[in-house]
Amino acid sequence: MVIISGESGLAHGYADRWRADGAFEYFGAGQVGPMQMLRGNAAIANHSRNGKGLLLFNDTNAGLRFRGEMVYERHHIEKAPDREGALRDAIVFELRFLDAVVEVASLEDKAPPAVGLHDLRARALAAVAAPARTPSEGTRTIYERSRDVRDYVLARANGACEGCAEPAPFVRPNGTPYLVPHHIRRVSDGGPDDPRFVTALCPNCHRRVHAGADGDAYNRILLKQMKAIEPS
């Protein structure tokens, strides 16, 4: 897990903030001079590809208060004071609630693009290879990258659950089999993840992982199965 605390920059004259579109802008670490994409900052930018959850807490009079699990979308650079009051380049991470990404993905009913499995896999791998540099304005959103992973995993399953091997129980309005992408490396689903650690499950298998008495054990079985489904 990667844990971050909101309002961490108040002592230096700047503050983390929420945007009107729901994104949380979080200032990176580094007290003097330009912030570097190293250590804790790199851990935030790379949490998805490293299979780590990103947990946001706020400081309150009663102590730390958990706000939710986040996912890194992108970052930008802006001027902000350092500990000595000098203006420097500060890394500002743009984060979103993981649940919001999950909700958008689950409500979509778009059929995957009409391209081959090889091209879908290339798009999925590119989705998690986010550069540790300031992206251009044209960088794809977290929702689009998540969709790329989902499209490939569901196409790879070819209509059958990758857990129990049974056919999907029904089809979506767009005609595609109803299967759920499950992110094996973390407890909650959603957000871009390495497709080598995402499996397509029927609703029963998906609930078994999250609500079954043997959920943890079944998740480990799914992880072992992925070595054959998606070779490294």
Side-chain angles (χ1 to χ4, degrees):
M1 291 291 180
V2 179
I3 297 175
I4 58 176
S5 175
E7 296 91 34
S8 59
L10 288 174
H12 305 303
Y14 57 87
D16 307 318
R17 65 228 172 189
W18 292 96
R19 289 202 319 239
D21 67 352
F24 180 59
E25 296 192 339
Y26 176 77
F27 281 79
Q31 296 186 9
V32 178
M35 292 184 183
Q36 304 293 322
M37 191 59 74
L38 301 170
R39 296 181 290 278
N41 291 336
I44 294 173
N46 300 321
H47 79 94
S48 280
R49 79 171 79 169
N50 292 335
K52 303 292 185 181
L54 182 62
L55 307 184
L56 173 64
F57 289 81
N58 282 150
D59 290 320
T60 70
N61 292 335
L64 290 178
R65 173 173 173 260
F66 178 61
R67 289 298 307 273
E69 187 169 359
M70 313 297 290
V71 61
Y72 164 87
E73 181 169 24
R74 58 167 64 92
H75 65 271
H76 66 268
I77 303 296
E78 63 181 67
K79 295 294 184 181
D82 65 10
R83 185 182 62 191
E84 298 174 352
L87 283 180
R88 45 72 180 273
D89 287 341
I91 299 172
V92 183
F93 294 101
E94 301 175 32
L95 313 175
R96 293 188 182 274
F97 278 118
L98 185 58
D99 286 345
V101 178
V102 174
E103 182 178 5
V104 170
S106 64
L107 292 176
E108 282 189 343
D109 190 36
K110 295 181 180 178
V115 297
L117 190 63
H118 176 79
D119 289 337
L120 288 174
R121 185 175 191 270
R123 293 186 186 189
L125 291 175
V128 299
R133 288 175 289 195
T134 304
S136 66
E137 292 182 358
T139 298
R140 309 178 74 244
T141 69
I142 188 71
Y143 304 106
E144 292 169 322
R145 301 201 309 266
S146 181
R147 189 184 306 130
D148 283 342
V149 174
R150 181 201 64 188
D151 287 346
Y152 167 64
V153 169
L154 296 182
R156 182 187 67 198
N158 196 27
C161 174
E162 292 181 330
C164 65
E166 292 294 321
F170 56 88
V171 298
R172 299 174 183 270
N174 64 22
T176 60
Y178 186 88
L179 296 170
V180 182
H182 168 63
H183 296 68
I184 298 172
R185 294 192 300 184
R186 55 176 169 239
V187 175
S188 52
D189 290 345
D193 200 352
D194 192 320
R196 291 167 293 190
F197 296 94
V198 181
T199 188
L201 300 180
C202 66
N204 280 344
C205 284
H206 190 232
R207 294 315 305 161
R208 178 181 175 184
V209 171
H210 290 284
D214 66 341
D216 289 341
Y218 188 44
N219 198 60
R220 290 192 292 271
I221 291 172
L222 294 173
L223 180 59
K224 291 181 179 179
Q225 291 178 349
M226 284 301 299
K227 294 180 180 179
I229 294 172
E230 190 71 33
S232 301

